[in-house]
Amino acid sequence: MNFLRALFKRKSVWFILIGIAVFVYINNSSLWTKKSGQPLLLAHRGVAQTFNIKGLQNDTCTAESIYKPEHSFLENTIPSIKQAFKDGADIVELDVHITKDNQFAVFHDWTLDCRTNGTGVTRDYTMVELKKLDIGYGYTADGGKTYPFRGKGVNLMPSLDEVMKYFPHESFLIHVKSNDPEEGKKLAKYLSQFSKERLKNITVYGGDEPIDSLKKAMPNLKVMSKATMKSCLIPYIATGWTGYVPKACENTELHIPEKIGPFLWGWPNRFLNRMDHINTRTIIVGGNGSEFSTGFDSTKDIKRLPANYSGGIWTNRIDRLGPYYEKKKK
């Protein structure tokens, strides 16, 4: 009798475990979950000159090692951004630094020394002074034998205000390059002048401290930092199998490395639907998250995406991916 009771209990435990496993599988499988539509294309720095990302460090001067130019555009400029949207970008990522006169210069590097004929940092200059610099000065594809953009970048460094006025309806991902909380406050003060409708198309990401101060000033603005990513994804990994999405995931942006995605509950379609439901945008980036600016930059790279993927895609070559997806629409 005791043997039968033990056997019954053991079978009950197995039935419960199997039931839980079936629930977890069905609740997180994308097989029966459709997410239609084309992917969102996020153009990193607009249309830009590209370079080999292997072995890059924070202080690597990438302008000194560009590939042979295929076009005339320089990153983070109005012509570059304009072309990116023309090529099919849904969102353009751009970088900002504070200036001496408390404007935001749209420029990538920490210092001016690599790309321009200037030295030091943007906060040592006014916006008018920065415009006098040649931002194409340092680009070379042959080890310094020739400089194809030298003399062509004067007056091309825009302010964030110029970009926002030139593209009043487009979507931007603004990257605060410093970790200064004061920059977050200043950016919040600048962005607060725009309507709620305009701000729906603006997302800001960057260091934990400026993003935290910006979010406190503008709680409804979509933001992202390492801290916001962790506060969302760590509890999601623990509880997402139930379908529960932590409140910390709401109204933010997630950049998911392609090698990490498959370990998230419901990846890809259920995960994307869950995030869409809470007004959170998901962007897939290349690699495992440790590489610099790794994106999906060719049709060969696209083959690595999940079948029928319709989330966001980070790309350094919108000039290639935009036309590819445009052809797929037809």
Side-chain angles (χ1 to χ4, degrees), residues 102-116:
N102 285 319
Q103 295 191 59
F104 283 95
V106 179
F107 187 71
H108 176 268
D109 294 354
W110 290 100
T111 69
L112 299 165
D113 304 61
C114 169
R115 299 177 195 280
T116 82

Side-chain angles (χ1 to χ4, degrees), residues 43-51 62-63 66-88 92 115 134-141 147-150 152-154 156-158 166-167 316-320 323:
H44 182 214
R45 310 185 199 175
V47 177
Q49 302 300 319
T50 54
F51 44 84
T62 56
I66 61 170
Y67 294 126
K68 184 178 179 180
E70 298 177 33
H71 55 73
S72 62
F73 297 101
L74 296 176
E75 63 184 48
N76 280 317
T77 62
I78 285 178
S80 152
I81 295 168
K82 185 177 181 180
Q83 186 63 38
F85 285 124
K86 184 177 180 181
D87 284 341
V92 169
R115 299 177 195 280
D134 178 6
I135 64 169
Y137 188 85
Y139 287 83
T140 180
Y147 290 86
F149 301 107
R150 185 166 286 186
K152 300 177 181 179
V154 179
L156 275 186
M157 187 190 301
Y166 195 94
F167 303 97
N316 299 296
R317 294 300 304 263
I318 187 62
D319 52 312
R320 291 178 177 173

Side-chain angles (χ1 to χ4, degrees), residues 123-142:
R123 63 177 61 205
D124 293 335
Y125 298 80
T126 65
M127 196 66 234
V128 170
E129 291 170 334
L130 288 170
K131 284 186 170 295
K132 295 177 182 179
L133 298 177
D134 178 6
I135 64 169
Y137 188 85
Y139 287 83
T140 180
D142 52 17

Side-chain angles (χ1 to χ4, degrees), residues 3 5 92 126 164 182 191-192 227 241 263 265 291 306 318:
F3 170 76
R5 287 177 180 173
V92 169
T126 65
M164 293 289 285
E182 289 301 313
L191 292 175
S192 64
W241 61 275
F263 296 97
W265 298 109
E291 298 91 346
I318 187 62

Side-chain angles (χ1 to χ4, degrees), residues 188-215:
K189 183 178 180 180
Y190 170 74
L191 292 175
S192 64
Q193 68 180 291
F194 295 98
S195 68
K196 290 181 180 180
E197 286 301 311
R198 181 69 184 102
L199 292 176
K200 286 181 181 178
N201 292 329
I202 302 299
T203 303
V204 182
Y205 79 121
D208 292 344
E209 293 188 28
I211 294 304
D212 182 62
S213 62
L214 184 147
K215 187 67 173 177

